[in-house]
Amino acid sequence: MKTKKSLLMVVLLLAISSLMAAMSYSSATVTSAMTGTVKTTDTALLALNAGKHNAAKIEDGVLKIDFNKGNVTSMPVSTYGVQKQSEYVWDGLFSVKNNSENQVAVTIKTENNPAAGVTLYAKAGNGEWTKIDSVNGAFIGELPIPFKNLSKHEVNVDIKLVVDSKASLGNFNPNLVVAAEAQVK
């Protein structure tokens, strides 16, 4: 008799839970208020600021880097360029500032590769030079370049440009991509 009562109780509980599941909704829509502001590069949550070089500036709210810029007062030309078999380093070309409430790990890469024979490297703080480029948007080699960037903290980024002897003459225009990922505490 006890076994029948227990079995009956289990069947009854299963029937009730099935009935309750049938009574629950299958979709819902809830509206909540949100706000946001589109800001310039240097005032965003992940802010990029130009360093003290002519090669980096904020233009139309976006950080623009032009490796052709030099001392425009020394000659009547506004752009120069880089030469084969050379290496150029810009200490503190730009900085990355974390204005979010989270600690973040920042990665730097290019969206498209520079011309053949031109290689870019980046480092932050006392870090090591790390090659940066992209193939189909994927990280290559030693990427990503991670560095901890505490909330309300800014880190200078150095860029090195190496041009080998087989580089083609002409323009190159890779886009720099700086990404931040919140670190779980």
Side-chain angles (χ1 to χ4, degrees):
M1 187 71 165
K2 280 188 175 182
T3 306
K4 284 186 178 183
K5 281 186 179 181
S6 297
L7 186 59
L8 183 60
M9 189 60 130
V10 168
V11 170
L12 182 60
L13 287 173
L14 284 172
I16 290 173
S17 65
S18 296
L19 181 61
M20 289 177 74
M23 293 185 329
S24 66
Y25 58 82
S26 59
S27 69
T29 302
V30 178
T31 304
S32 296
M34 293 189 308
T35 61
T37 305
V38 177
K39 301 287 261 180
T40 59
T41 298
D42 56 342
T43 58
L45 286 171
L46 179 64
L48 303 179
N49 295 298
K52 295 180 181 173
H53 298 279
N54 288 336
K57 65 181 179 177
I58 300 292
E59 185 179 284
D60 297 327
V62 176
L63 175 68
K64 303 260 177 109
I65 296 173
D66 184 352
F67 294 119
N68 298 320
K69 296 291 183 182
N71 181 2
V72 295
T73 61
S74 66
M75 294 180 70
V77 292
S78 61
T79 62
Y80 297 92
V82 295
Q83 64 190 20
K84 292 181 179 186
Q85 288 186 281
S86 61
E87 178 178 298
Y88 299 84
V89 175
W90 289 266
D91 291 332
L93 181 60
F94 66 95
S95 66
V96 178
K97 185 174 184 184
N98 177 22
N99 291 318
S100 77
E101 73 270 14
N102 297 314
Q103 182 173 340
V104 297
V106 176
T107 58
I108 302 168
K109 66 177 192 129
T110 61
E111 188 174 63
N112 46 356
N113 290 325
V118 177
T119 308
L120 287 170
Y121 297 86
K123 76 174 181 174
N126 295 326
E128 297 292 320
W129 287 112
T130 302
K131 181 180 175 183
I132 58 173
D133 59 16
S134 77
V135 172
N136 301 319
F139 290 112
I140 301 300
E142 299 295 316
L143 292 178
I145 302 172
F147 58 90
K148 299 293 184 190
N149 192 354
L150 299 176
S151 180
K152 310 288 189 230
H153 188 68
E154 192 165 9
V155 175
N156 287 326
V157 177
D158 305 335
I159 296 290
K160 178 167 57 172
L161 179 71
V162 177
V163 186
D164 71 27
S165 62
K166 295 178 183 163
S168 299
L169 296 178
N171 296 328
F172 58 94
N173 57 349
N175 292 325
L176 189 70
V177 178
V178 179
E181 186 172 331
Q183 300 299 292
V184 179
K185 294 179 181 179

